Amino acid sequence: MTTVNLKAASVPIRENRLGSITGFSGTAGELVGQARKGCLKEKVRSFSQCLGCSTSNAACTLILIQDSAVISHGPVGCAGCLHEYAFTYRVNGVHRNVFEPTERRIFSTNMDERDTVYGGAQKLGDAIREVYRRVHPKTIFIITTCASGIIGDDVETTANEAEAEIGIPVVAVFCEGFRSKIWTSGFDAGYHGIARKLIRKAEKKQEDLVNIINFWGADLIGDWFKRLGLRANYLTPFATVEQIATSSEAAATMQVCATLGSYLGASLEQEFGVPEIKVSPPYGIVQTQRWFRELGRITGRAEAVEVFLREEEEKWLPEIETLREKLKGKTAYVTAGASHGHSLLALLRELGMEPQGAAIFHHDPLYDNGEVAADTLQNVVKDYGDIKHYNVCNKQEFELVNVLNRLRPDILLARHGGMTLWGAKFGIPSLLIGDEHFGMGYQGLVQYGKRILDTMENDEFVKNFEKHAVNPYTKWWLEQDPYTFLEK
Amino acid sequence: MSGLIEQQRFMCSIGAMQSVVAIPRALPILHSGPGCGTMVAGFFERSTGYSGGYTAPCTNFSETEVIFGGVQKLENLIRHSYKVLDSDLQVVLTGCTASIVGDDAGQVVKQFAAEGKPIVYADTPGFKYTNYESHSVIVNAIIDQYTARFNKEKKPTDPKLVNLFASIPYQDPFWKGNLEEYKRLIEGIGLKVQVLFGPHAQGTVEWQNIPRANFNILISPWYGRNIAEHLQEKYDQSYFQFPYIPIGGNETTRFLRGLALYANEHGAELENDAVETFIKKEEETFYEEIDNLATFLLEFRYGLPSYVHILHDASYVLGMARFLLHETGIVPKEQFITDKTPEEYQQNILDIGGSISDKKKIPLYFQADAGLAQETILAANHEGRGLIIGSGWDKDLARKKNCDFLSAALPSPYRLVMTSGYAGYRGGLRLIEDIYNQALSTYR
């Protein structure tokens, strides 16, 4: 079975393609068991708060490509938060060797009421030509929105016509918010467009090149790769269109987060013959060893990897031991997207801490590569044992607030903005780390452990904040079962 | 290009959920696609207030609702919102999805209102208005569906009480500070004022009391006009309009004198001596600072900005340009109004812009597509050291033009604004501080 079909204009959403869900309450082991038996069932909530949107996640894979321009086809509001990526590009460029970051060119077709009646295709066509005049990019992406989706604008045809006219790839990316409750479907949409129109069939192979599908973390892996005679090809933030086009020449693809890279990793393997590393990414010692050995096997560097692992162990193990003594038995709660959340659970276990539970935004029973060995949650459970209070909850703040009030962990680890606030309001030290590479490898374990320790020790701010924090949640709600509104 | 917009500096209709967030203990409830709430929060940044951003209940429209309608889901959502969240006022806002499929959210809300819940709804699909316009839609919805409930009989008006409609919460980054200064000034001349939004409002009681006011104050060239006109029609309240944000000595005094005159024409019976004493004291405080600064402005020999481009909404462009020319000596060059001002208001704004200086004409452009505004500025050539006042998008432009840069419009990721304001006497001083601190910080 393959989930990749680059002939289709759009990629099916995760609910349909992978059978992913957004509602579950139980233990991690139970969830993995259900996934293996193929009996995961989506549960509906009768109360819900604002989710995220596929369009912003698609945007996040596209806007940070160095020489591209992005048009949001819809009302102006659908591009409202995209300026955040312009900031990210400017600020993080330096970590990825982009020292003179250019402005991010983000456009909206500014759909109005008339367009919803007569259609917005003409406006989009004009917009593409005008954007080409202003920017002269190497490619133009069009991201769709609820409004353009519902009224049925033929964005694919408009894009293809414009492409023929201006002579650069014009990529229609279908990521309407209403189509999926799993906003990571937007990543898939962005990568589908990239794989469909930007990546070329390889004419030659570069045996030392490894694709790394990531967000915008610092270039830690690149340094490790140098020691192994490898080069990192980061996809897609901060890459050029040409770098993306030649990703098919790489010897392997790795993902820092399978939630992010599932579809592109599988596309590169199935359509372009680039093998994907199908084990969990290197967070925690067990996975770091497993992952590097797999890298060594695929790239023919098994011996070099053993040397590398030995060196890393010698360098970092003493410090890891010290941290473990200090953190032993401390409790934590995790809220994050799926795969990276699993990685954080592994980190906590490695540091001798006790994850009391997790609120993870969705669950994919398998990723697009179809490999059971790639199931990051299963690997955590197998390596470290089961996790109680494992909930799948797409950023429903009210549930998180309720759980935190009950469990009162020593620390809250969050991967997404907006969530640490609710730990802090209950006086719980709360930590968000933006750089997804921060916890990788032996070094990452030390870095993360230090930050956790630091956050727990310096709790004066949250303790004071708790005394004065405003809480809009009712007393009634805080006394209910957190999953009261989740279908039984 | 009438359609395309690069670097937007405003939101679509549903962006006015921030106006709800700005009312003490009010709760926005969205009947919209899953991303609208977080998109709004992302545009405005650090602005979720009591219950905005991820906290706002949302039906998260999915394909099922697109096909079958989402009215039942909305009813459940509202019912459960009462259990989960504490609030004094709920405002249901509809997004593109609900409007395109034709859900009757109003019918659902009316059921709850009939049970006595303080709930209202507003039709705010993103394709219909900008948030500058839908701010009025929301305020009028609250007036019609909430305020009206407390005013079945015509209550006696308080001749000294006024309602203020000025800064749009959050869209104006200085709204809290501005409202605080307006309140201080208006009370300074002897009136009582309901500012309705933010920490200086008395919560929903002020909204209940809107009809008790003698008249309304509108500080804006165009947005909010629909509110003032609506109240005129509904409660026979007239309004005093000051057509731009009054900044600094001249304009704040002009605002206060105009207001005092208007109030007295409408029976407020303010004491003229007290009004003049207040203004005199305020002006003295203001001009003492200008006096102290003048040597610096006139003599600083290492370079200070001599001209300015402003990219902001109509109220700020008019107010800042006038202030900077007359009270600091910075000359306004090409100015850009980025709020997508409806055509019907444009001529009046051009007329006001034409009166900024008796000596020179200041070019004023309506340009919601700030990418094009930047093209014009890039091509412009002026002698001296330039200043650009705009949004975070303009940081690069300023670098390219070698200009000083002050971030004062949204989105503004390079700046933190909490309670500082640019309106009034105090705001003028604050604006001067910010401009020259930016300029001085280039010397190291």
Side-chain angles (χ1 to χ4, degrees), chain B residues 42-339:
Chain B
F43 178 79
F44 291 98
E45 300 187 301
R46 300 183 278 268
S47 59
T48 49
Y50 177 70
S51 59
Y54 295 112
T55 309
C58 179
T59 47
N60 295 315
F61 240 74
S62 69
E63 203 126 33
T64 316
E65 286 79 51
V66 169
I67 298 165
F68 299 107
V71 170
Q72 187 55 48
K73 198 171 181 184
L74 176 62
E75 188 181 339
N76 271 333
L77 180 77
I78 296 171
R79 206 168 288 290
H80 294 152
S81 293
Y82 286 115
K83 293 183 172 174
V84 177
L85 290 153
D86 261 331
S87 65
D88 294 342
L89 174 67
Q90 304 88 41
V91 181
V92 175
L93 308 167
T94 57
C96 294
T97 44
S99 294
I100 294 177
V101 306
D103 271 3
D104 190 351
Q107 205 49 46
V108 178
V109 168
K110 273 178 196 151
Q111 291 168 33
F112 288 97
E115 292 171 18
K117 303 286 193 201
I119 187 168
V120 311
Y121 81 98
D123 194 27
T124 52
F127 52 78
K128 207 162 176 179
Y129 311 108
T130 67
N131 62 320
Y132 277 98
E133 296 164 288
S134 64
H135 169 74
S136 296
V137 173
I138 284 174
V139 170
N140 284 342
I142 299 174
I143 289 167
D144 289 343
Q145 298 167 55
Y146 176 77
T147 302
R149 284 192 229 170
F150 301 89
N151 298 281
K152 296 257 187 300
E153 295 153 42
K154 178 110 177 113
K155 287 184 188 165
T157 53
D158 179 340
K160 285 199 164 53
L161 185 67
V162 296
N163 303 311
L164 175 71
F165 298 95
S167 292
I168 295 187
Y170 297 101
Q171 176 64 48
D172 175 355
F174 307 100
W175 69 281
K176 281 185 194 169
N178 287 351
L179 290 185
E180 182 181 15
E181 173 75 346
Y182 289 137
K183 190 175 162 83
R184 186 181 77 82
L185 295 170
I186 294 166
E187 289 177 352
I189 62 166
L191 292 167
K192 289 181 276 185
V193 61
Q194 308 195 107
V195 296
L196 302 163
F197 299 99
H200 302 284
Q202 302 298 311
T204 44
V205 175
E206 284 195 357
W207 288 82
Q208 294 169 15
N209 283 340
I210 285 175
R212 295 196 57 220
N214 185 358
F215 63 92
N216 297 310
I217 301 172
L218 174 66
I219 302 175
S220 158
W222 71 271
Y223 50 81
R225 258 272 293 269
N226 289 345
I227 304 169
E229 283 169 1
H230 185 60
L231 284 169
Q232 187 157 42
E233 206 171 296
K234 193 172 179 89
Y235 293 115
D236 201 23
Q237 285 172 329
S238 61
Y239 64 93
F240 168 73
Q241 182 176 9
F242 195 81
Y244 47 87
I245 176 169
I247 303 175
N250 293 342
E251 297 310 315
T252 309
T253 296
R254 191 197 304 269
F255 165 69
L256 288 176
R257 290 220 171 99
L259 175 62
L261 184 66
Y262 186 92
N264 280 338
E265 282 168 4
H266 290 78
E269 296 181 4
L270 300 179
E271 289 172 32
N272 281 328
D273 288 354
V275 170
E276 283 307 316
T277 307
F278 177 77
I279 289 173
K280 185 160 178 284
K281 182 83 189 106
E282 289 292 320
E283 280 199 349
E284 275 170 13
T285 310
F286 178 82
Y287 283 109
E288 187 194 354
E289 294 304 322
I290 300 294
D291 211 273
N292 284 334
L293 191 70
T295 313
F296 164 73
L297 292 180
L298 295 164
E299 293 183 358
F300 187 75
R301 61 186 67 184
Y302 311 96
L304 288 175
S306 62
Y307 70 89
V308 64
H309 296 290
I310 305 169
L311 302 93
H312 213 309
D313 66 32
S315 195
Y316 270 98
V317 166
L318 294 174
M320 279 182 174
R322 193 173 280 260
F323 170 71
L324 293 178
L325 179 66
H326 293 278
E327 307 208 59
T328 69
I330 300 177
V331 179
K333 301 295 184 184
E334 292 84 354
Q335 309 291 305
F336 297 89
I337 293 171
T338 55
D339 61 15

Side-chain angles (χ1 to χ4, degrees), chain B residues 410-426:
Chain B
L410 290 194
S412 192
Y414 303 96
R415 180 169 183 192
L416 187 67
V417 178
M418 295 177 83
T419 59
S420 44
Y422 284 163
Y425 300 107
R426 290 181 180 177

